[in-house]
Amino acid sequence: ELLGDSNQTRIKSSDRGKIKMISLEEALERSGGYTDLLKMDCEGSEWDILKQKDSLKNVKNITLEYHLWKNQQSHSFAKELVKSKGFKILRHKPSTDFGIITATRQ
């Protein structure tokens, strides 16, 4: 869904279209089951990925952009969620309604 500037673009599930979305697990499976670096910029879908039980177990380093408009949570919640997946926060850059986290597996 395009809403002006690219930073206002949102993911919207639909059966229409030619681009198939796949899960993080499937993407990791296609790349051998493990990755050194995962860069997430999912326009709101990062929360669904982060909440999955084993979603990041085969990821060594992560950098992600998160959006507070999606779940009305705080920057602290985003950091704690990433830490709960076994990561150590290396860098956190919060902004008004989004933020960027860089982390590594402990």
Side-chain angles (χ1 to χ4, degrees), residues 50-92:
L50 289 170
K51 288 180 182 176
Q52 293 173 8
K53 182 181 176 205
D54 295 326
S55 61
L56 302 174
K57 69 179 181 180
N58 293 324
V59 174
K60 181 172 177 155
N61 301 287
I62 186 170
T63 181
L64 70 104
E65 178 183 274
Y66 62 88
H67 301 84
L68 299 176
W69 57 262
K70 177 68 177 189
N71 66 358
Q72 306 304 309
Q73 292 289 347
S74 66
H75 293 289
S76 294
F77 177 82
K79 284 174 52 177
E80 291 305 314
L81 188 56
V82 171
K83 286 167 51 176
S84 76
K85 297 296 182 179
F87 289 95
K88 174 184 173 188
I89 306 292
L90 300 175
R91 182 170 179 246
H92 179 223

Side-chain angles (χ1 to χ4, degrees), residues 10-24 26-27 30 42-43 45 48-49:
R10 306 282 188 261
I11 293 174
K12 187 176 181 181
S13 295
S14 173
D15 292 333
R16 301 176 317 174
K18 296 179 182 179
I19 300 174
K20 179 184 174 195
M21 289 195 309
I22 62 171
S23 67
L24 174 58
E26 185 175 341
R30 288 181 181 186
C42 313
E43 303 307 323
S45 292
D48 293 332
I49 294 168

Side-chain angles (χ1 to χ4, degrees), residues 34-38 58-62 103-104:
Y34 174 84
T35 188
D36 285 325
L37 174 64
L38 173 66
N58 293 324
V59 174
K60 181 172 177 155
N61 301 287
I62 186 170
T104 189

